[in-house]
Structure formats: structure tokens, C-alpha cells
Amino acid sequence: MTPDWLDKKEYPFESKYIQLEAGRMHYIDEGEGPPIVMIHGTPVWSFLYRNLIKILRKKYRCIAMDMIGFGLSDKPEGWSYKPRAHAANFEQLMEQLQLTDVTLLVHDFGAPIGFAYAINHPEKVKNIVMLNSWTWSLSKHQTFTGISKYLVGPLGKFLHSKLNVSALTLINELFEGEDKMPEPIRQHYVKALGNPDDQVGKLACARELIGITRWYDELWKERNKIQNIPTLILWGERDKLIKIEALQCWKKFFHESYVIPFEDSGHFLQEENAEEIASYVSNFVKEEKKKRELIHQ
């Protein structure tokens, strides 16, 4: 059922669902062509990708899910909401869709979810597009190449400091500086979290992301399986949550990466720069396809 607060002109997509053990997970599947799978972060949902999808679906098959607990997906009480569980749900969706030659477009907490899939199925992932993200342990006791002192779970730290505020306050702070965002658009993020008066500590976005998890450590140990995948990095340099040092880490992480900085943009490039992002993504996918074709000639 479409909620009454959802503006179908703004989000003009057919809702699809996959039934999981945790509940129904919502996703959209628009357009035809090479698949681009978009994975959201915290505490947003596939609505963040709406403007990219409107453009890219003309040439590509665009898929974007709402993780359980987010957006139009079920929000079950008592489910673990651990990152590993989200990744398992994404794996089930990808298994159902049977996609190959995938471009993964990841942002924020969506990066470890997407990378877990890529590590398990590197033969199916041809390209990665990354927006401001991290994929390392949230435990301040973990050390990866000496960088953990400033790369330790920036979003987790932020959420931990906001556990006693409402969802409305959290959204307003996350989108602080997004002066051009109309209030009806902002409300789509607030209302998708459920009761806007609930404290953040009760929400899926905060239950597990601020804790210590071995899962990030396990991913990091398997990173060599994805380091050779061609990667486009689009980075908002005014991000308050994930600092520029993380970008330097990613530039060293991938063996073939292209970096496009956005000097005047923050954490949510999808809201601020949708047309530019769509253009960069489309050109990147086309160029990488040409390279592979030349290699196989």
C-alpha cells in the first residue's frame, strides 16, 4: 500500500516487494539495459535516488531497494538490524533478480552492504560507483593501516551523540545546509522513518551501526577480491559525517579509480547534484564497457 504522504509525481515508480524472513522488502526496478543497483545509507531510503533513476532509466535498468527498517519496507520489532543481516537480505534480492554485469552504486552504509555482495560474487560486478562512504570497523580498537584514528565510524559517532533526539531532529541535522531542499522533500525522509517523534535510539538506523562488529573486519580481510574492479568515486567535500581523509583511503584502496570532487556539496550528493552524477555514471559505464570490448577483440 502506498502511504498517503508519498508524492507519486516526485517518486513515480512501481513498487515491488520481496518477501524475506524479516518481512517485506521494498524495491524499484525501472528501465532496461545494463543494470545499475543503487544501495542507500542511513537513515534514508531509495527516495534519495529518485532523480538519478528518472534520468538513468532511459538507458539503464535501475534497481534500488529500501533496507528492512527503512523507506517503504517493513520495520519489524525484534529483528537484529545487524549489517550482516542487511547484506544477507540484499543477497537474496540479487539472487531473485539474477543480474550480471552489474554496476553497484553505493553510498554511506550502503557501501559495506554492496561490497559484501561484490566480495562473494566478483564475477557479477563489473563496476563500482561510490559516493561518500566507509567500510571499516566502527570499533575504535580496530586499526587498519594506521588510519583508524580519524576513520572510525564517523556516522556511528554522530548517531551515538544523537540517540536522545527525535527522527525529525536527526534528519534536519543531517540535511543541515541543504537550503534549497523544499520542505515536502525533507518530509519524505522524516515520515519514512515511522513516528518522527521517536528517539533515534529506537530506530533501525542506530540500533546496530554504533556498535562493535566483526563483520567489517571480515570484509576488510577479503578486500583484495574487489580492489581491481573499476571504480568511480564521487565525493562531496563539505561532508560533516565522513571526512576527506576517508576519500584518501579509498583512492589508495582501489587500483583503478576515478575521483570527481564536488567542492560545494555535502553528504547527500544525490539531492544536490543528480544531473551531474547521472552524467558521470552513464559515461563511466559506457567507457568501461568499451575498454572490456577492446580487450576481448
Side-chain angles (χ1 to χ4, degrees):
M1 297 293 292
T2 302
D4 55 10
W5 50 262
L6 182 62
D7 183 349
K8 292 298 291 182
K9 291 182 180 179
E10 194 67 43
Y11 188 82
F13 311 123
E14 178 186 354
S15 289
K16 297 179 181 293
Y17 294 88
I18 178 174
Q19 184 64 48
L20 304 170
E21 184 177 347
R24 291 202 316 163
M25 187 167 75
H26 173 264
Y27 69 99
I28 53 178
D29 188 345
E30 298 280 322
E32 297 180 357
I36 301 176
V37 181
M38 307 176 186
I39 311 177
H40 69 80
T42 305
V44 295
W45 56 294
S46 59
F47 184 80
L48 183 66
Y49 290 115
R50 69 195 183 283
N51 292 323
L52 271 72
I53 293 170
K54 291 172 189 175
I55 299 170
L56 290 172
R57 67 178 175 178
K58 298 172 185 176
K59 297 181 179 179
Y60 300 94
R61 181 179 176 185
C62 298
I63 295 145
M65 68 169 181
D66 298 340
M67 288 187 237
I68 291 289
F70 299 84
L72 304 184
S73 291
D74 286 350
K75 301 171 176 59
E77 290 291 334
W79 191 61
S80 74
Y81 291 100
K82 293 182 183 296
R84 191 190 302 269
H86 286 300
N89 289 342
F90 179 62
E91 178 97 18
Q92 289 186 56
L93 174 63
M94 296 295 279
E95 182 178 345
Q96 174 172 298
L97 297 176
Q98 290 292 299
L99 302 177
T100 57
D101 296 336
V102 172
T103 296
L104 284 179
L105 195 163
V106 301
H107 175 236
D108 189 275
F109 173 57
I113 302 301
F115 290 170
Y117 178 80
I119 286 169
N120 289 333
H121 306 280
E123 75 285 354
K124 294 183 179 180
V125 178
K126 296 301 182 184
N127 310 299
I128 293 172
V129 178
M130 173 190 289
L131 290 77
N132 299 49
S133 304
W134 88 96
T135 306
W136 34 75
S137 175
L138 299 186
S139 167
K140 59 186 176 183
H141 301 295
Q142 299 299 328
T143 302
F144 295 128
T145 64
I147 58 174
S148 63
K149 60 183 178 181
Y150 47 75
L151 294 181
V152 176
L155 182 61
K157 288 182 176 179
F158 177 83
L159 288 174
H160 190 273
S161 69
K162 305 296 178 184
L163 289 181
N164 293 320
V165 304
S166 69
L168 175 62
T169 301
L170 175 66
I171 292 294
N172 287 339
E173 291 200 27
L174 284 173
F175 284 97
E176 184 181 3
E178 309 282 349
D179 299 328
K180 298 179 181 178
M181 180 183 290
E183 186 58 27
I185 299 301
R186 190 185 302 267
Q187 286 299 315
H188 277 74
Y189 292 109
V190 173
K191 291 180 179 178
L193 288 175
N195 184 351
D197 294 325
D198 278 348
Q199 290 184 350
V200 176
K202 299 178 182 177
L203 301 176
C205 65
R207 290 177 194 165
E208 294 295 340
L209 295 186
I210 61 173
I212 296 172
T213 174
R214 296 178 183 175
W215 187 67
Y216 292 99
D217 303 352
E218 294 171 8
L219 289 182
W220 196 261
K221 290 176 182 177
E222 299 291 326
R223 64 189 182 276
N224 63 304
K225 295 181 179 179
I226 64 172
Q227 285 180 303
N228 289 321
I229 298 176
T231 301
L232 172 65
I233 303 175
L234 306 169
W235 201 271
E237 294 187 334
R238 290 196 298 106
D239 194 333
K240 297 183 300 180
L241 299 178
I242 304 178
K243 303 303 182 182
I244 197 68
E245 290 88 352
L247 172 59
Q248 304 308 319
C249 175
W250 288 124
K251 288 166 70 173
K252 296 176 183 177
F253 180 93
F254 291 107
H255 298 157
E256 183 183 349
S257 65
Y258 310 89
V259 179
I260 308 295
F262 289 77
E263 295 181 0
D264 298 323
S265 298
H267 189 65
F268 296 100
L269 286 174
Q270 302 93 319
E271 283 289 352
E272 300 179 74
N273 306 91
E275 290 186 10
E276 287 181 81
I277 291 173
S279 178
Y280 282 125
V281 171
S282 181
N283 290 336
F284 171 66
V285 173
K286 285 189 291 187
E287 288 301 314
E288 290 304 317
K289 182 181 178 181
K290 288 180 183 177
K291 288 181 183 179
R292 288 192 292 270
E293 290 172 348
L294 287 173
I295 292 172
H296 289 97
Q297 282 182 356

